[in-house]
């Protein structure tokens, strides 16, 4: 029985963020499925693990956490000597990586998730119509963020610095969904962003998480 | 070499950093950025923060933006002086600081900032405030604060029985929120109210609150 447990579903971007980190670190864990489609994450039995009724929740022995970006940073620090290093030991370098972690959280993801919801979640998962006025509102905002990334990636090999860190990893789940939609063109038209997207999405650890995600989709369709 | 903070004394994100600087007893120079003259969109400023936002911290050759990355940097660099805001000696405690800092970022800030923007900032920039947006967010805020009420009935502060960055990050927007007509949403929840009264009476915050003048004539 693994000491590390993740409560969630691999098709959740936030859960996938944690799974990617565990795979980069080569850590054993148990994924306890939470059926988001039937709203299991809003029920009493789950709320004690995450009082906001969101996925994922996490346990490492008797330490219980939630919020994906707190979990990833805990894993990265607690298991610093295992697998891929996802942080810099130099405090000034890590300060810059933390800055780009905040950029993902406050600039990239809010806009990307609005597009993801209209372009993928609604038509493919919920069977609803895309609201093109929302797409028209958020695409330019998202493009401004990608323009900043294009400039940043001309000065730095990865977003957070000269090697792959959580600052890059945190983007993977939402990027993966956007690559399956018309928003893909927004990455392709920016050469450095495009190269960075190709690089990080082809990491073996991420490929494993995408397999888990696809399996989770298939299983949910059988229900 | 003195720390330089580019920003404004009434800006929530600038004050988030200023509170941290005062908690750590650090000297710094506040360099005003003229947002009304769009100084933040000029090339000289964009070279420091490509998103054209305040604050920006300069510490020698290191330039940082995003207020919560700046507070994390300061709390880490000066972790051995005064209060440890990140609980670096305990992996479990520091993990809880991160959890509740993320809660502030993702559950609290998006909701309370909408209310403050509509109530104070919109009129300042010649727009009418949107009551529908306010009402939606007041309802969301109530639900978030229900979670806080339960949490704070178990611990004195959000991450545990110790003041941390997780509490500090809430100060700026909550200060302005308490000046809106809807402060009862917080005051009606006794543990949240007690927590607010505690953290807002810390000397470091009181120094900064003096400059937080939205809503005053």
């Amino acid at each position: 029985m693994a000491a590390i447990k993740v409560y969630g579903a691999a098709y959740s971007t936030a859960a996938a963020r944690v799974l990617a980190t565990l795979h980069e670190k080569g850590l054993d864990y148990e994924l306890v499925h939470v059926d988001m489609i039937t709203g299991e994450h809003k029920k009493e039995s789950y709320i004690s693990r995450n009082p906001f009724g969101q996925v994922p929740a996490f346990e490492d022995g008797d330490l219980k956490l939630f919020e994906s970006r707190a979990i990833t940073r805990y894993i990265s620090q607690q298991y610093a000597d295992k697998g891929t290093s996802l942080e810099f030991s130099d405090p000034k370098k890590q300060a810059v990586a933390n800055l780009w972690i905040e950029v993902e959280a406050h600039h990239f993801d809010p806009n990307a998730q609005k597009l993801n919801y209209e372009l993928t979640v609604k038509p493919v998962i919920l069977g609803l119509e895309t609201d093109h006025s929302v797409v028209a509102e958020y695409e330019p905002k998202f493009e401004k963020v990608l323009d900043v990334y294009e400039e940043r990636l001309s000065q730095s090999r990865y977003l957070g610095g000269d090697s792959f860190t959580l600052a890059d990893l945190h983007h993977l789940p939402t990027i993966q969904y956007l690559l399956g939609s018309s928003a893909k063109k927004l990455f392709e038209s920016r050469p450095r962003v495009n190269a960075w997207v190709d690089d990080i999405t082809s990491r073996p650890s991420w490929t494993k998480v995408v397999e888990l995600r696809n399996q989770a989709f298939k299983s949910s369709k059988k229900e | 070499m003195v720390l330089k903070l580019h920003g404004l004394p009434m800006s929530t994100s600038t004050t988030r950093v200023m509170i941290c600087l005062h908690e750590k007893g650090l000297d710094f120079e506040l360099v005003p950025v003229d947002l009304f003259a769009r100084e933040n969109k000029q090339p000289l400023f964009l070279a420091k923060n490509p998103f054209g936002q305040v604050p920006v911290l300069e510490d020698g050759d290191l330039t940082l933006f995003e207020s919560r990355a700046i507070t994390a940097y300061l709390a880490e660099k000066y972790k051995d002086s005064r209060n440890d805001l990140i609980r670096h000696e305990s992996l479990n405690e520091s993990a809880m600081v991160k959890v509740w800092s993320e809660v502030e970022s993702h559950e609290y800030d998006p909701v309370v900032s909408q209310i403050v923007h509509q109530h104070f900032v919109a009129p300042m920039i010649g727009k009418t405030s949107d009551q529908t947006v306010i009402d939606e967010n007041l309802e969301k805020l109530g639900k978030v604060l229900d979670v806080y009420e339960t949490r704070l009935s178990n611990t004195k502060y959000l991450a545990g029985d110790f003041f941390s960055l997780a509490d500090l990050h809430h100060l700026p927007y909550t200060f302005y929120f308490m000046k809106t007509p809807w402060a009862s949403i917080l005051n009606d929840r006794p543990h949240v109210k007690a927590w607010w009264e505690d953290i807002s009476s810390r000397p470091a915050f009181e120094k900064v609150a003096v400059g937080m003048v939205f809503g005053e004539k």
Side-chain angles (χ1 to χ4, degrees), chain A residues 1-12 14-20 22-23 27-36 46 55-59 208-209 211-217 219:
Chain A
M1 173 96 87
I4 293 178
K5 289 188 184 167
V6 180
Y7 295 84
Y11 47 69
S12 143
R17 194 171 280 126
V18 172
L19 299 179
L22 290 165
H23 280 273
L27 296 167
D28 287 331
Y29 67 92
E30 186 188 340
L31 176 59
V32 180
H33 188 70
V34 174
D35 190 347
M36 295 176 75
Y46 182 79
V55 152
F58 176 89
E59 276 173 26
K208 287 201 189 96
V209 176
E211 270 170 41
L212 291 172
R213 186 193 76 157
N214 294 343
Q215 276 168 35
F217 271 131
S219 311

Side-chain angles (χ1 to χ4, degrees), chain A residues 127-200:
Chain A
L128 298 172
E129 292 273 320
T130 298
D131 183 339
H132 292 282
S133 68
V134 175
V135 175
E137 185 187 344
Y138 284 92
E139 228 175 62
K141 292 180 187 184
F142 186 57
E143 289 204 78
K144 284 195 175 142
V145 176
L146 292 183
D147 288 341
V148 172
Y149 279 34
E150 184 70 10
E151 179 60 32
R152 168 62 180 168
L153 291 164
S154 73
Q155 298 154 12
S156 179
R157 189 154 172 236
Y158 289 92
L159 268 191
D162 48 24
S163 59
F164 178 82
T165 62
L166 289 182
D168 309 285
L169 183 154
H170 283 178
H171 292 77
L172 282 164
T174 310
I175 284 181
Q176 191 68 40
Y177 275 114
L178 290 175
L179 286 174
S181 78
S182 60
K184 186 178 182 183
K185 64 183 191 292
L186 303 175
F187 301 126
E188 288 171 340
S189 58
R190 293 166 172 82
R192 294 188 185 98
V193 169
N194 197 38
W196 169 76
V197 165
D198 275 347
D199 180 322
I200 65 173

Side-chain angles (χ1 to χ4, degrees), chain A residues 47-84:
Chain A
I47 298 276
S48 59
R49 301 189 188 285
N50 181 331
F52 294 95
Q54 294 175 341
V55 152
F58 176 89
E59 276 173 26
D60 186 359
D62 56 12
L63 179 66
K64 296 184 194 322
L65 304 175
F66 57 94
E67 288 295 329
S68 64
R69 296 170 187 82
I71 298 166
T72 60
R73 283 150 112 167
Y74 162 77
I75 295 167
S76 171
Q77 284 175 15
Q78 174 72 330
Y79 300 99
D81 55 347
K82 295 218 166 11
T84 315

Side-chain angles (χ1 to χ4, degrees), chain B residues 19 61-62 76 99 111 129-130 133 135 140 156 165 192:
Chain B
I19 298 162
D61 58 359
L62 181 65
E76 168 65 36
V99 166
V111 170
S129 96
D130 187 334
V133 170
D135 290 340
K140 288 181 187 177
K156 188 168 183 215
L165 275 192
V192 179

Side-chain angles (χ1 to χ4, degrees), chain B residues 20 24 71-79 84-86 165:
Chain B
C20 187
K24 288 292 171 186
T71 57
Y73 169 71
L74 295 170
E76 168 65 36
K77 183 174 179 184
Y78 300 99
K79 60 184 182 270
D84 179 2
L85 298 172
I86 52 172
L165 275 192

Side-chain angles (χ1 to χ4, degrees), chain B residues 145-156:
Chain B
L145 290 182
D146 284 340
V147 175
Y148 280 35
E149 181 66 14
T150 305
R151 173 63 178 170
L152 293 165
S153 63
N154 291 321
T155 54
K156 188 168 183 215

